[in-house]
Structure formats: structure tokens, C-alpha cells
Amino acid sequence: MVIKFKTLLPLLLLFSLVHPHFAASIAQNINLTNINSIVGNCNLYKGKWAFDPSYPFYRSKSRAQPKGCPFIDPEFDCTNFGRADTAYLKYAWKPDGCKMPRFNGLEFLKRWRGKRIMFVGDSLSLNQWQSLACMIHAFVPNSNIAYTRQGTLSSVTFRDYRVSLLYYRSTYLVDIIGGVLKLDSIVEGKAWLGMNVLVFNTWHWWVHTGSAQGWNKMEYNGRQVKDMDRHVAFRRGLTTWARWVDRYVNPVVTKVFFQGISPSHYKCNGQKQPSAASATQVNMPQEAQIVYDVLRTIRKPVTLLDITGLSQLRIDAHPSIYGGAGAGNDCSHWCLAGLPDTWNQLLYASL
């Protein structure tokens, strides 16, 4: 039996008025002409940060915290590398007009028993992957866990529940072959198929230059160039990814998310509290608008984790000089515990 969307829509709208959290999860799919439009009064992405002493969900593993999270890379492990202030750990995102469901790692494991969840993207995806692994681990610290890091693929498996969290490193989502960034090719996408949840991210590497960019030329429609406007290149590459989703993803098997643009700040060292502004008061960068534009073209269901605005308010949450990888003043990534935990709460609410 086929139910037409026009017939189903009034029932969805009525249900969403009674259950606003349901509205938050569906609106990103059914109304990408206005990304933040939520039926009823609940928009999880419009709100403010508020101090909440019940946070954080977890601590990093140390001598003082032997049961702390063992998955955090040094570049995100701010407390173990000298950051003494702790207020940044205790801010919770408070949406306007509704309450965001609090994360429950045990409930997550039971609901997703036997499933595979993969984060695909650059080190911001790594940031979010490690955050989710830590959030779940806090609820089952004595669970039987398999943890592997090998090449482009890393995984944390909670064996008692057969739930696997995977991270696939793909900085551009499109291919780099022989030093050429191919804006219309995704061969590596074969590794992403068959997952139950895919969370994609890309942007930060698109502005890298010189030896840091990882390629020598760009190629599009069979024509190679030394370089091009990076926003133009980003739009073309992201459009290729969108076509890949439409062609290869089976929505019966796989839920697809796109992690919105994670903002960088400048001179973040010494910042100890978030901005008091609302997410609606920040300016959206051009790359975020490109994400909105491209997502509107996808026929398959894709949910946007629209993290840009709420993350722009958190200049205090970067590693700055406390990233253990010796990266200097890091104002691009985020401390763990920290802001990516909120991204995963939004993912949890959507799932």
C-alpha cells in the first residue's frame, strides 16, 4: 500500500503539535526551504547556553579518574593537559520553548542494539565520534569494549550490546587520487554503505592551502586546474556527495545526518564563558548557506544537525593552548568533555 505524502502530512502536523520533540526530528527533513522552521513551538537549534552544575556527562581518564573516558585524543583532552578552569564544562544548551531530552547512554545502547553508527569526515567528526563514545561509556564503564584505530577507520564496539561506533576519516568527502582533488568522484564511499546511521561532515580542509591541503590540483568534469575559489569548490564537492546519497543510500536501512559547519574562532585562549547571545543573533557564514542550499536538492531523507549558531557562541570551549598534540593555539577543535557532547544530544534527540 502506498500512502501519498499529501495525505500523510496533516496527520504528521497534528501529531507534531502534541509531541514537539517529534516535530524537531522531522522538520529538518520535510522543510529544508526554511532550515530552522519547526512545527509548533519547538526548535532545538534556537536558544541560549545556561550554567548547569549537573554537567559534564563524563571526565577524561586520569590517575584521579581511573574510570574516566579512555577514548579522548590528546588534542581534545584539555583537563589532562593543563586547563584548570572548569566552568566551560558546565554549560547546557537550552532551546527556546521546549526541553531537549537528556542523553541516556544505556537507553541508546538498548535502542541501537546490533547496529553500526559511522561518522565520516575530518577531525571535527573525530571530535564528535570520541564524544559519543565517551557519553555512552559513562553509563556502562565496565562494559566489554573493543577499541581499534587503524588507518582511515577507527571503531569502538560495546560488545555486550553489539553496538559499533565507527569513524572514517575523509577530509573532503570527495576523492584525492594521485594528488588530484576530484570534485565529482566518491570512490571511497563504498566503505560507508550498509551502516545504520551515517553522520557526515566537511569544510575545514577546504580552506587549507599549500602543503596542508593534501592535493596539488583540482579536477571537475574532466578538467584540471591548479586552484579555484574554495567556496565554489566546496559547493561542487558537496553536490557530488548529495548525488551519492541519492544514488546509493537505502533509507530503509540507513539514517543520514549532516553535521553543520563547526565554526573556528580567533584568540580563544583565556576565554572562560560562552556568549550570552542567542543563536538567532549570530551571522551564518557563507559555507553554512552552501550546506543549506545543497541539502535542499537531496531527494532522500537527510537530517541537518544545525550546530553552527549555537557553536559560534562557545569561544570558551576550544582547546586553545591546552591541546596535548602541540598544535599551538587551537581555536578550531573542541575540548572533551565539552561542546561536541551537545551535538550528540541533538543527534540523540533526532534519532
Side-chain angles (χ1 to χ4, degrees), residues 74-79 81-85 269 319-324 328:
E75 57 261 44
F76 312 139
D77 195 358
C78 303
T79 55
F81 286 90
R83 183 163 183 176
D85 63 298
N269 184 29
S320 63
I321 62 173
Y322 302 107

Side-chain angles (χ1 to χ4, degrees), residues 7 47 118 135 155 189 207 222 227 233 276 291:
T7 303
M118 177 180 277
M135 292 170 74
S155 67
V207 296
D227 207 343
V291 169

Side-chain angles (χ1 to χ4, degrees), residues 237-305:
L238 198 62
T239 299
T240 298
W241 166 79
R243 300 289 79 79
W244 180 90
V245 170
D246 274 338
R247 183 173 181 180
Y248 293 108
V249 169
N250 179 356
V252 175
V253 175
T254 306
K255 294 180 181 292
V256 179
F257 293 83
F258 192 88
Q259 179 210 83
I261 301 299
S262 173
S264 295
H265 294 94
Y266 299 93
K267 298 180 180 179
C268 61
N269 184 29
Q271 300 292 330
K272 296 183 178 181
Q273 61 185 23
S275 168
S278 167
T280 59
Q281 296 173 292
V282 300
N283 294 320
M284 287 295 107
Q286 182 179 352
E287 53 272 18
Q289 185 60 53
I290 291 172
V291 169
Y292 300 158
D293 293 345
V294 173
L295 289 186
R296 290 188 185 102
T297 70
I298 302 178
R299 298 188 304 273
K300 299 283 181 68
V302 176
T303 300
L304 174 64
L305 299 176

Side-chain angles (χ1 to χ4, degrees), residues 2 11 33 40 45 53 136 159 166 168 187 207 210-211 224 267 277 300 314 336 343:
V2 177
L11 296 175
T33 57
Y45 300 96
I136 295 174
R159 286 172 168 164
L166 301 102
Y168 188 98
V187 174
V207 296
S211 60
Q224 291 189 358
K267 298 180 180 179
K300 299 283 181 68
R314 292 306 307 272
L336 294 180
W343 302 349

Side-chain angles (χ1 to χ4, degrees), residues 34-49:
N34 184 354
I35 294 292
N36 285 324
S37 177
I38 300 295
V39 179
N41 296 318
C42 184
N43 184 335
L44 294 178
Y45 300 96
K46 290 183 178 179
K48 292 184 178 182
W49 292 97

